[in-house]
Amino acid sequence: MQADYVIVGAGSAGCAMAYRIAEAGHKVLVIEHGGTDIGPFIQMPGALSYPMNMSRYDWGFKSEPEPHLGGRELVTPRGKVIGGSSSINGMVYVRGHAGDFDHWAEQGADGWSYADVLPYFKRMEHWHSGGRGGDKSWRGRKGPLHVSRGPGANPLTQAFIDAGVQAGYQMTPDYNGKRQEGVGPFDATIRHGRRWSTANAYMRPALRRENCEIVNAFARKVVIEDGRAVGVEVERGGQIEVIRANAEVILSASSINSPKLLMLSGIGPAAHLNERGIDVVADRAGVGQNLQDHLELYIQMAASKPVTLYKYWNIPMKGWVGTQWLLAKLGLGASNQFESGGFIRSRAGVRYPDIQFHFLPIAVRYDGKAAAEGHGYQAHVGPMRSKSRGQVTLRSSDPNDAPKIKFNYMSHPEDWEDFRTCIRLTREIFGQQAFAEYSKHEIQPGEAVQTDDELDDFIREHAESAYHPCGTAKMGRADDPSAVVDPEARVIGVDGLRLADSSIFPRITNGNLNAPSIMVGEKASDHILGKAPLPKDNAEPWFHPEWETKQR
């Protein structure tokens, strides 16, 4: 088998690239180990806790024991299915802050400032406000990726916004528009009550073209001849074969599997490859390094009124919700229930938000287990720019072995201070008048947990990944020894090979990573096709005018 372009991974960025490259008339083959995304567990937004806990759809990765979290091994879900992690995520849509992308450019990702990437966010979006406000001039209206807002019908959803305003934070009508900072309604990749993954947005339209095809196979390594990538070695139907690329091979296999494939192909830190018995093709010290993630906690409150979603947390009511969705794509199953939240700064002197809230009108974990106390609500909260860094390394030279993932969470002293601040600021919001009629008592951490040491013990035991790994093949200038790809997503040191997914983020962006990952695929596709980048959009984003002296 062969094609002009061979893409490894039908995920957030991979689907976008397949769509754009096929649209330009080139033959594209997409290698995907996972199967179909058809089925209610993926397509029903309200069922989001199921696919990320199903081996059918998830690679099943776990971190190594985390030394600063009591030796806990944290699950690291990555989508093994058409659409990749966009088919198993929480569907929250966050572009990231303008300051994030300007920082990328300052670190050597030339051409990736906010003015450079904003046109690509607009190109990919088809935005629907749902009557809940917004910032139309900053949003795209004709792209393949439908982005909408839930109805916000639960009174607790609005109570969170009201409480944030009462605590002194401004309401932002659109955190994906001019102003991220503040509290307000959340966006989601949902269309007509259905998950709008990149499988639905990009891959299905691409597959309607004769020049695009998905190959269900397990990628083992990139085949490199005389310094040039010429194909991908795969296992399919128990047989090992090579799928040839006439023009380029493009890795888009996630921030876990993309660096793994580079290293198996001889691209990575030479000493590590030698230890694994792998011939070195390109000595790139940054491969697998710079691993980052968002860590978060659930601050949970018991509710004094039965207004939460807990009343649906039983088999008969779940059946009713599922039936409504199956018949009409309506009801609670049509929303991810993350319908309000916010971005705030932890203290004066922080230029733009470094804390994110997701509000949920039920006290429940990602694995779907509800709080034992019944009716409750929670805010997911965590710092956005931890200084801790981890790594992805090879366990062995066997492609079937999962890589070793060590996030090194909470290894920087500032992380502890930042997390304690997150808890205290969340408690302050939950203590406002807007929640007075609903608040009973604090479930987690519990009102007795107050001192720094007590909060640190709670963080150590309960902090969880927000499932936003990135940065393991960072983008930078070709003369940067820690960079893996250049600003056109070309792997440094090997011809005919590109990498475009969340691996290339120099630093993690604010919020959930699906939107910037898709943007990377959109922008990389123009570089691959040799097109001039879209013209810059010099719209001025909002920064708090007194950020140096005021926290809110």
Side-chain angles (χ1 to χ4, degrees):
M1 299 186 72
Q2 63 178 355
D4 298 326
Y5 295 90
V6 176
I7 299 173
V8 181
S12 296
C15 288
M17 289 187 289
Y19 176 92
R20 296 298 180 189
I21 296 170
E23 181 183 53
H26 302 283
K27 185 176 181 183
V28 182
L29 283 178
V30 183
I31 299 167
E32 173 56 50
H33 185 43
T36 179
D37 65 322
I38 298 298
F41 287 123
I42 280 182
Q43 299 298 330
M44 185 195 306
L48 64 89
S49 67
Y50 290 96
M52 70 173 63
N53 290 295
M54 296 173 70
S55 60
R56 175 180 175 182
Y57 302 127
D58 172 36
W59 281 88
F61 296 135
K62 279 188 175 182
S63 77
E64 297 296 295
E66 289 290 338
H68 304 281
L69 294 179
R72 288 192 290 139
E73 297 177 355
L74 274 65
V75 293
T76 309
R78 292 293 86 194
K80 186 181 67 176
V81 59
I82 306 298
S85 294
S86 78
S87 288
I88 68 169
N89 67 358
M91 290 155 282
V92 176
Y93 181 85
V94 184
R95 288 173 169 178
H97 195 280
D100 295 326
F101 302 103
D102 289 341
H103 180 268
W104 285 14
E106 291 164 7
Q107 294 300 302
D110 301 321
W112 291 78
S113 71
Y114 188 61
D116 294 305
V117 302
L118 180 56
Y120 288 95
F121 281 117
K122 289 184 175 181
R123 183 172 86 175
M124 72 196 217
E125 285 178 358
H126 190 139
W127 184 69
H128 312 263
S129 71
R132 295 184 68 202
D135 205 343
K136 291 182 180 178
S137 66
W138 288 72
R139 307 303 293 268
R141 305 303 293 273
K142 296 180 180 178
L145 188 76
H146 288 266
V147 179
S148 63
R149 291 183 171 175
N154 190 289
L156 293 167
T157 300
Q158 185 61 41
F160 182 83
I161 298 172
D162 294 342
V165 172
Q166 289 167 1
Y169 304 103
Q170 294 185 37
M171 191 271 186
T172 177
D174 189 352
Y175 64 86
N176 282 314
K178 181 182 181 71
R179 174 189 179 132
Q180 186 187 74
E181 186 168 335
V183 291
F186 259 25
D187 287 344
T189 48
I190 297 172
R191 182 191 188 194
H192 298 323
R194 183 182 176 198
R195 177 193 290 272
W196 205 247
S197 63
T198 55
N200 287 327
Y202 289 97
M203 187 52 72
R204 286 196 168 81
L207 290 174
R208 287 196 284 269
R209 298 178 180 273
E210 292 184 356
N211 59 335
C212 184
E213 182 181 348
I214 286 181
V215 179
N216 186 243
F218 176 71
R220 293 169 51 88
K221 66 177 182 178
V222 180
V223 178
I224 300 169
E225 297 175 357
D226 299 323
R228 181 175 186 84
V230 297
V232 180
E233 181 182 285
V234 303
E235 182 180 341
R236 186 165 64 132
Q239 302 295 316
I240 293 175
E241 60 184 282
V242 174
I243 297 175
R244 308 283 294 190
N246 300 327
E248 290 186 353
V249 172
I250 305 159
L251 297 183
S252 191
S254 84
S255 58
I256 308 300
N257 277 325
S258 287
K260 174 191 170 184
L261 282 167
L262 285 178
M263 289 185 280
L264 288 171
S265 309
I267 305 162
H272 179 58
L273 300 184
N274 287 331
E275 287 173 1
R276 298 293 182 266
I278 297 170
D279 292 337
V280 178
V281 173
D283 181 6
R284 300 307 304 176
V287 175
Q289 304 301 304
N290 193 45
L291 174 62
Q292 300 159 67
D293 190 17
H294 289 139
L295 207 58
E296 67 178 11
L297 289 165
Y298 310 159
I299 309 302
Q300 295 182 325
M301 301 291 294
S304 58
K305 292 183 177 181
V307 295
T308 79
L309 302 182
Y310 183 73
K311 58 190 165 189
Y312 299 98
W313 223 253
N314 57 71
I315 292 175
M317 291 306 291
K318 283 183 178 181
W320 163 240
V321 168
T323 300
Q324 267 191 310
W325 184 84
L326 286 168
L327 293 177
K329 303 296 183 286
L330 296 174
L332 289 175
S335 170
N336 62 355
Q337 304 307 325
F338 290 113
E339 296 184 358
S340 65
F343 294 87
I344 66 170
R345 291 176 298 113
S346 61
R347 59 188 182 277
V350 175
R351 187 164 179 253
Y352 65 93
D354 59 341
I355 293 174
Q356 179 185 16
F357 299 105
H358 298 73
F359 179 76
L360 194 61
I362 185 173
V364 68
R365 300 192 326 211
Y366 266 137
D367 62 8
K369 293 181 181 178
E373 298 192 36
H375 282 283
Y377 50 92
Q378 69 191 35
H380 301 217
V381 64
M384 289 291 95
R385 294 187 290 282
S386 166
K387 292 182 178 178
S388 297
R389 295 291 183 270
Q391 60 183 1
V392 173
T393 54
L394 293 177
R395 198 171 300 275
S396 76
S397 60
D398 184 349
N400 293 295
D401 282 350
K404 294 175 70 173
I405 305 166
K406 184 178 180 181
F407 287 98
N408 214 20
Y409 292 122
M410 306 300 291
S411 57
H412 196 284
E414 287 182 21
D415 293 345
W416 296 93
E417 179 184 345
D418 291 345
F419 245 119
R420 292 192 294 266
T421 299
C422 286
I423 295 170
R424 287 170 172 145
L425 292 176
T426 308
R427 283 173 159 170
E428 183 186 18
I429 290 174
F430 279 162
Q432 299 299 315
Q433 185 62 34
F435 278 113
E437 64 176 301
Y438 306 113
S439 176
K440 191 175 178 183
H441 63 264
E442 185 175 293
I443 300 172
Q444 180 175 293
E447 289 154 13
V449 180
Q450 295 292 339
T451 68
D452 285 1
D453 287 345
E454 289 167 344
L455 291 174
D456 287 352
D457 287 343
F458 173 75
I459 293 163
R460 192 174 293 108
E461 185 176 349
H462 292 282
E464 294 187 17
S465 171
Y467 309 144
H468 300 160
C470 65
T472 49
K474 85 167 192 178
M475 173 170 48
R477 298 186 181 98
D479 59 358
D480 178 353
S482 66
V484 177
V485 303
D486 71 9
E488 293 192 13
R490 295 174 294 208
V491 174
I492 300 166
V494 180
D495 293 333
L497 179 61
R498 302 209 198 214
L499 195 163
D501 58 25
S502 66
S503 306
I504 75 170
F505 292 13
R507 188 175 72 182
I508 197 166
T509 57
N510 267 15
N512 312 61
L513 299 194
N514 189 41
S517 298
I518 299 170
M519 180 277 293
V520 162
E522 283 272 9
K523 191 171 187 301
S525 67
D526 277 0
H527 294 305
I528 292 162
L529 293 169
K531 291 185 175 182
L534 296 178
K536 289 188 176 187
D537 187 329
N538 291 310
E540 287 289 329
W542 189 89
F543 289 84
H544 196 295
E546 298 175 277
W547 66 268
E548 292 175 293
T549 57
K550 291 186 175 180
Q551 183 259 332
R552 64 190 89 175

